[in-house]
Amino acid sequence: MTALPALASRFALTPDQVAALDRYITLVLGWRRGRVTGLRSRDDAVETLVGDALALLDVVAGVDGVQGSGAGDGALERLRLLDLGSGGGAPGLPLAIAAPRLSVTLLDSVRKKCDFLTAAVDELGMADRVAVVCARSESFAAPGAQGREAFDLVTARAVGALAEVVELAAPALATGGRLLALKTGVALESERAAGDAAAGVCGLTPGAVVPLSASPLADSVCVAF
């Protein structure tokens, strides 16, 4: 099992970031107002919710160098990320903790999950740059709506089949934006053709499939559009 100190070393996290991730894991496992994750052990939560999310940092950093918190990087502050079907907050919240220049919106349509996300964002003191929206993505990114073509990045993990993820994410992407979908390699083999077909209909171009070698989970990949 991969512990937070190992992740801290692997991803060059600060003590404050490690403390925030530790608090996040405590919150998601201890939430009593309705289940927001099927994970029960702390080790599994660290690996699945945090480690796998942080493995996206290299992919996200390749878009616009978002990791780090130095001054004078105004362009980085404008990178807007939508976490589609955020659920228990991954990968959006761990990415927000580890990459302070990201502006993150956590989107979910289930009220009990939105209540958790709102409480977690408040508890972590991140309300200044992490927003929670409780809505269906079809409404949030409908023509003329708040989320229409509003994001540089859309992340999605355990939301649905790749074609569905593409269809839901496309309307939220700004021109030049990218969808980063977390999948297992096995799932991608069966879903890629339909995902590429959906991308063609939605105006997206299939990009690279990046093995997430830094993830504690076996066979984790990121497929980009």
Side-chain angles (χ1 to χ4, degrees), residues 52 182-189 210-212 215-222:
D52 198 45
L182 280 163
K183 288 285 178 181
T184 65
V186 170
L188 184 59
E189 285 184 12
V210 181
L212 297 179
S215 173
L217 303 183
D219 201 30
S220 186
V221 301
C222 171

Side-chain angles (χ1 to χ4, degrees), residues 60-197:
V60 174
V63 176
D64 205 354
V66 299
Q67 196 170 6
S69 56
D73 296 322
L76 303 184
E77 296 175 3
R78 296 192 295 271
L79 199 67
R80 303 153 298 174
L81 184 148
L82 173 67
D83 191 24
L84 187 68
S86 193
L93 261 177
L95 285 174
I97 290 169
R101 294 299 189 181
L102 282 175
S103 174
V104 175
T105 297
L106 308 174
L107 177 69
D108 206 282
S109 62
V110 179
R111 171 52 61 185
K112 67 180 180 181
K113 294 180 179 179
C114 295
D115 289 344
F116 164 74
L117 293 171
T118 300
V121 169
D122 289 344
E123 176 76 15
L124 294 169
M126 302 183 71
D128 59 330
R129 62 184 183 86
V130 179
V132 177
V133 175
C134 197
R136 294 183 62 84
S137 58
E138 297 93 332
S139 300
F140 180 64
Q146 173 189 358
R148 185 76 171 191
E149 298 179 358
F151 296 93
D152 306 296
L153 293 170
V154 174
T155 54
R157 181 183 182 279
V159 172
L162 189 58
E164 179 185 3
V165 170
V166 168
E167 292 169 359
L168 293 174
L173 285 168
T175 301
R178 296 186 192 180
L179 164 63
L180 304 177
L182 280 163
K183 288 285 178 181
T184 65
V186 170
L188 184 59
E189 285 184 12
S190 63
E191 297 177 14
R192 183 65 195 261
D196 287 355

